[in-house]
């Protein structure tokens, strides 16, 4: 992977482990020669991921909607800052610029980005690995929920391995590198659905 889209929160939790994690992930990706594509903000985990990667000499591409640039949260220290009209275009740019997706802790916007990356993979809009860094057990319940959707039958057997989860970045990137794309819905026949 040459670049990954990193999905994370723009908030700064009281627990400093989350900011430290984001900075470490940015640094570790840069040290591996993997560029970071992210939401283009300078606050919270977003700002920390960018700082970590930039301090390690990595490439950081921010993709931010005009409304957020106008509210002065844009990170102008990025290698490249791309301004888009809105969130749909932002997520499309993440997909176009990246070879995979890494989600670290975050809130509603982070979940929106993760689920869309998974949905687009399932449909066939991309065939890149979708990773979830379950640091500090943050995503234990989400992983269980994803498993429950599969058990009930809302996630087809062919798509049950789209979400790649691991507790450490090393393990996550190793699993993502080994990812074999599945058969997307767009290429399935009605009997398979």
């Amino acid at each position: 992977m040459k670049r990954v889209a990193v999905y994370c929160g723009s908030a700064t939790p009281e627990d400093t482990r989350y900011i430290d994690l984001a900075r470490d992930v940015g640094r570790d990706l840069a040290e591996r020669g993997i560029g970071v594509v992210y939401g283009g903000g300078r606050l919270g985990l977003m700002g920390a991921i960018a700082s970590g990667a930039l301090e390690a000499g990595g490439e950081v591409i921010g993709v931010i909607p005009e409304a957020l640039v106008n509210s002065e949260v844009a990170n102008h220290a990025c290698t490249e800052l791309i301004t888009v009209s809105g969130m749909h275009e932002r997520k499309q740019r993440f997909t176009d610029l990246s070879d995979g997706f890494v989600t670290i802790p975050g809130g509603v916007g982070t979940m929106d980005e993760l689920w869309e990356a998974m949905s687009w993979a399932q449909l066939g809009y991309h065939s890149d690995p979708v990773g979830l860094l379950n640091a500090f057990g943050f995503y234990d319940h989400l992983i269980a929920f994803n498993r429950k959707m599969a058990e009930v039958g809302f996630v087809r057997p062919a798509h049950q391995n789209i979400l790649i989860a691991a507790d450490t970045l090393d393990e996550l990137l190793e699993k993502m590198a080994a990812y074999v794309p599945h058969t997307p819905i767009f290429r399935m026949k009605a009997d398979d659905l």
Side-chain angles (χ1 to χ4, degrees):
M1 292 180 292
K2 294 179 182 172
R3 286 187 192 136
V4 295
V6 179
Y7 298 142
C8 60
S10 61
T12 303
E14 278 187 40
D15 186 339
T16 59
R17 294 182 304 170
Y18 293 102
I19 292 293
D20 294 341
L21 170 73
R23 189 172 288 109
D24 291 347
V25 167
R27 183 197 65 236
D28 291 351
L29 290 171
E31 289 175 352
R32 287 177 163 87
I34 300 172
V36 170
V37 179
Y38 85 116
R42 61 179 175 79
L43 305 176
L45 274 69
M46 273 196 203
I49 198 115
S51 294
L54 289 167
E55 288 166 10
E59 174 191 45
V60 176
I61 300 173
V63 183
I64 190 165
E66 285 176 52
L68 292 176
V69 172
N70 295 335
S71 66
E72 300 181 0
V73 298
N75 184 354
H76 296 282
C78 294
T79 309
E80 181 180 0
L81 184 63
I82 300 169
T83 302
V84 295
S85 62
M87 296 302 285
H88 294 295
E89 186 180 352
R90 179 193 220 182
K91 290 183 281 187
Q92 181 65 56
R93 292 301 280 274
F94 286 151
T95 302
D96 294 343
L97 293 167
S98 304
D99 306 309
F101 306 86
V102 171
T103 300
I104 67 173
V108 173
T110 304
M111 292 300 90
D112 173 54
E113 292 163 340
L114 170 65
W115 289 113
E116 186 155 303
M118 290 174 60
S119 177
W120 285 16
Q122 180 177 280
L123 290 168
Y125 286 113
H126 72 78
S127 59
D128 299 323
V130 179
L132 183 71
L133 183 56
N134 188 29
F136 322 120
F138 185 81
Y139 286 119
D140 286 349
H141 295 292
L142 185 135
I143 293 166
F145 175 65
N146 191 57
R147 191 169 36 249
K148 179 69 173 180
M149 288 190 299
E151 288 169 5
V152 171
F154 287 114
V155 179
R156 292 169 183 85
H159 304 135
Q160 291 178 5
N161 295 318
I162 289 175
L163 183 63
I164 302 165
D167 297 340
T168 67
L169 184 63
D170 286 341
E171 181 186 1
L172 183 62
L173 292 176
E174 189 175 303
K175 286 181 173 182
M176 289 173 70
Y179 174 70
V180 175
H182 57 281
T183 303
I185 289 174
F186 292 158
R187 290 202 342 244
M188 291 179 154
K189 299 198 181 322
D191 291 343
D192 299 326
L193 301 172

